[in-house]
Amino acid sequence: MSVKITSVTHGSPAAKKGIKRNDILISVNGYKINDVLDYRFRITETKLELVIERDGGRMNVSLKKPMYDDIGLEFATFLMDEKKSCRNKCVFCFIDQNPPGMRETIYFKDDDTRLSFLMGNYVTLTNVGFDELERLVEMKISPINISVHTTSPELRVKMLGNRFAGDILEKMSFLAKSGSVKMNCQIVTCRGLNDGKELEKTIKDLSEFYPHVESIAVVPSGLTKWRDGLYPLEPFDKESAGDVIDITEALGDRLLREKGTRLVYASDEFYILAERPLPDEEFYEEFSQLDNGVGLIRSDEADIRAELEFTDSDEMPEKRRFMLITGKAAEAFMRETAEKIHEKFPGITIDVIGAENKFFGETVTVAGLLTGTDFLAAARENGEILDKADAVIIPAVSLRSERDLFLDGNSPEWLSEMIGKPVITAENGAGIIEAVRNSQF
């Protein structure tokens, strides 16, 4: 495979050697370049021999540069290739539970090991053969984030809807034996399928790979109201969520005694569902699974304490009132945060509203899956509070990575126009303080 160069950075080593836009990169130091991993790995050396194709002919380009420095080439896509789509038909797949009529990109399922390394995405490894695993080992691609779900071959085949899904332990063993690849694991737990004894087995199997497996997150499957025709799954309730916590904490206690680390953690959502207090901050050690909602609230609490400590009164507006809209799961925590802010800065009042997710259904309670129409409904249903507010604060996590659109395609600007108030986004709990401090309206 060869890759078309779309631009060359002015003054870069490649530009100085005469490489131009629309040239084709064939190889680096004799190695063919197939994608971004090949490219980034091969250009780390100080001396490079590039084969470039131009107008049907080929030329060799030699260049020198500091170790690990870039050479200034840019390509049409981030991966220098197409994303690898998911071949699984997971019984809990959230994308299958989206309503019709959304942005096309919402329905794309990726299962790409390159994105696992570059962006932190979780992958099932069903898309990967042992030849590709060898390439990852050679390049020391680490960490790799793996969606395991279960280590029982027959159950994994069933849950992933893929007859090739049963070899996860063999693939993880291959990576572990390399000694150069670390792994983080995710177990999306489905009530009645891979909880209970199956969950115990999976955690014990994965713990055998320690220290190559650095962390294990146990999260509940997300179920929307758009599940007609899909595998029948039941949401976790107080009792069943408590059972998951009991399993993870008991095994975590044992691993802490035997290996010096808990290794496995249940997500905050399980504790909220079980109506149990979250563990202390120290319980989560390095907070290695924040993206899976593990220890997120305790981490946010620490950030808020630090932000409050280092924010002086003269940095804050003298008097402001805000409506803060978040998901039901974070409502209680955000109320505590609002109280702490008001306690230190009496002129700042934040009214917290926990929005029902009307778009995906009431069983979806996380802020990241609220849509523009959900925020609009929550604001209008609390009109008296909205009328008193100078502005509305929303969690930035409900927007896509560019921070411009909600899942339903609406924008914060649209929401602001609909409610007649400025809309401010906050990246996290500490970000609320920053949003208040920087508010100008």
Side-chain angles (χ1 to χ4, degrees):
M1 182 178 173
S2 55
V3 189
K4 186 177 182 178
I5 298 166
T6 56
S7 66
V8 183
T9 304
H10 179 73
S12 66
K16 291 176 181 178
K17 288 294 183 176
I19 298 176
K20 300 178 180 179
R21 179 176 178 270
N22 293 327
D23 285 348
I24 305 296
L25 176 62
I26 303 298
S27 65
V28 176
N29 287 348
Y31 293 95
K32 290 182 179 180
I33 301 301
N34 296 300
D35 60 21
V36 65
L37 295 188
D38 285 334
Y39 176 68
R40 291 295 174 193
F41 183 68
R42 300 303 174 189
I43 67 168
T44 57
E45 302 298 329
T46 57
K47 296 180 180 180
L48 302 178
E49 293 289 334
L50 279 60
V51 176
I52 299 293
E53 183 179 295
R54 180 184 298 166
D55 299 328
R58 292 193 176 188
M59 59 183 184
N60 295 323
V61 177
S62 300
L63 59 84
K64 295 181 181 180
K65 64 172 187 63
M67 180 84 70
Y68 302 116
D69 274 16
D70 194 15
I71 61 175
L73 300 182
E74 295 186 11
F75 307 91
T77 66
F78 173 68
L79 291 174
M80 299 167 61
D81 189 16
E82 296 297 322
K83 287 183 183 178
K84 293 181 180 178
S85 61
C86 183
R87 299 175 184 174
N88 305 318
K89 296 180 180 178
C90 296
V91 297
F92 53 83
C93 179
F94 195 87
I95 293 175
D96 289 341
Q97 302 177 67
N98 278 314
M102 299 176 70
R103 297 193 310 273
E104 185 178 346
T105 53
I106 296 292
Y107 302 104
F108 181 79
K109 307 177 187 179
D110 77 73
D111 195 20
D112 200 314
T113 51
R114 299 167 299 184
L115 290 175
S116 175
F117 173 64
L118 296 167
M119 305 294 290
N121 295 21
Y122 275 79
V123 292
T124 64
L125 296 185
T126 58
N127 230 354
V128 180
F130 283 91
D131 54 342
E132 176 67 2
L133 293 181
E134 288 180 3
R135 182 173 80 122
L136 299 178
V137 167
E138 179 193 0
M139 296 180 181
K140 297 180 173 61
I141 298 301
S142 183
I144 296 176
N145 298 325
I146 304 174
S147 291
V148 178
H149 312 316
T150 177
T151 52
S152 297
E154 289 185 5
L155 180 57
R156 195 166 195 263
V157 167
K158 175 181 178 179
M159 290 188 66
L160 271 62
N162 187 330
R163 63 191 178 94
F164 300 109
D167 61 354
I168 187 62
L169 286 177
E170 290 89 338
K171 288 178 176 176
M172 291 184 66
S173 178
F174 180 89
L175 293 172
K177 287 177 181 177
S178 74
S180 62
V181 176
K182 299 294 185 181
M183 295 169 276
N184 295 307
C185 297
Q186 174 193 69
I187 302 172
V188 175
T189 315
C190 297
R191 186 177 174 185
L193 275 180
N194 62 333
D195 54 354
K197 294 295 183 183
E198 285 293 341
L199 179 59
E200 287 186 33
K201 177 185 183 304
T202 297
I203 294 170
K204 289 175 180 177
D205 287 345
L206 295 179
S207 68
E208 293 299 314
F209 291 121
Y210 179 80
H212 307 291
V213 164
E214 295 186 307
S215 64
I216 306 166
V218 181
V219 303
S221 53
L223 307 180
T224 81
K225 66 181 181 181
W226 303 93
R227 288 195 56 84
D228 290 348
L230 299 179
Y231 188 94
L233 291 175
E234 292 293 326
F236 282 93
D237 57 14
K238 180 179 178 179
E239 182 179 357
S240 56
D243 291 341
V244 170
I245 293 170
D246 291 341
I247 290 170
T248 55
E249 288 192 351
L251 290 175
D253 288 344
R254 195 188 81 180
L255 289 165
L256 185 62
R257 292 192 301 271
E258 295 177 355
K259 301 179 184 294
T261 177
R262 287 194 167 277
L263 194 64
V264 60
Y265 310 89
S267 68
D268 293 3
E269 192 173 355
F270 273 119
Y271 287 90
I272 293 169
L273 287 169
E275 300 177 16
R276 294 191 187 182
L278 289 162
D280 294 337
E281 186 178 332
E282 294 75 17
F283 178 92
Y284 295 102
E285 299 176 9
E286 300 299 320
F287 288 103
S288 55
Q289 288 274 5
L290 287 175
D291 287 344
N292 266 317
V294 173
L296 187 60
I297 290 177
R298 291 301 187 217
S299 176
D300 256 5
E301 284 179 340
D303 291 342
I304 290 164
R305 284 197 303 272
E307 193 73 19
L308 283 172
E309 181 179 351
F310 293 107
T311 300
D312 296 325
S313 296
D314 58 5
E315 298 178 69
M316 298 291 274
E318 185 175 341
K319 190 173 181 62
R320 286 280 194 277
R321 191 172 194 124
F322 299 88
M323 170 188 271
L324 187 154
I325 307 175
T326 188
K328 290 286 188 181
E331 182 178 2
F333 170 64
M334 287 303 171
R335 288 190 192 280
E336 292 176 5
T337 299
E339 290 170 4
K340 290 174 183 176
I341 294 172
H342 182 69
E343 184 178 336
K344 181 166 184 180
F345 307 108
I348 304 301
T349 300
I350 302 175
D351 298 303
V352 177
I353 304 298
E356 181 181 333
N357 198 314
K358 300 177 187 295
F359 192 84
F360 288 111
E362 62 181 15
T363 58
V364 178
T365 61
V366 294
L369 292 173
L370 288 172
T371 65
T373 53
D374 292 324
F375 285 110
L376 177 60
R380 286 179 170 173
E381 288 167 5
N382 294 273
E384 291 186 9
I385 295 175
L386 179 64
D387 289 343
K388 296 176 184 177
D390 296 304
V392 173
I393 300 174
I394 63 170
V397 71
S398 62
L399 300 164
R400 66 179 182 174
S401 58
E402 293 88 347
R403 297 304 190 235
D404 59 344
L405 293 175
F406 299 106
L407 282 168
D408 60 1
N410 290 312
S411 67
E413 292 75 19
W414 167 87
L415 178 61
S416 177
E417 183 178 345
M418 295 297 290
I419 63 177
K421 300 283 183 178
V423 172
I424 307 170
T425 58
E427 289 293 337
N428 48 34
I432 296 171
I433 302 168
E434 182 180 356
V436 171
R437 184 170 58 233
N438 296 334
S439 61
Q440 296 179 0
F441 40 80

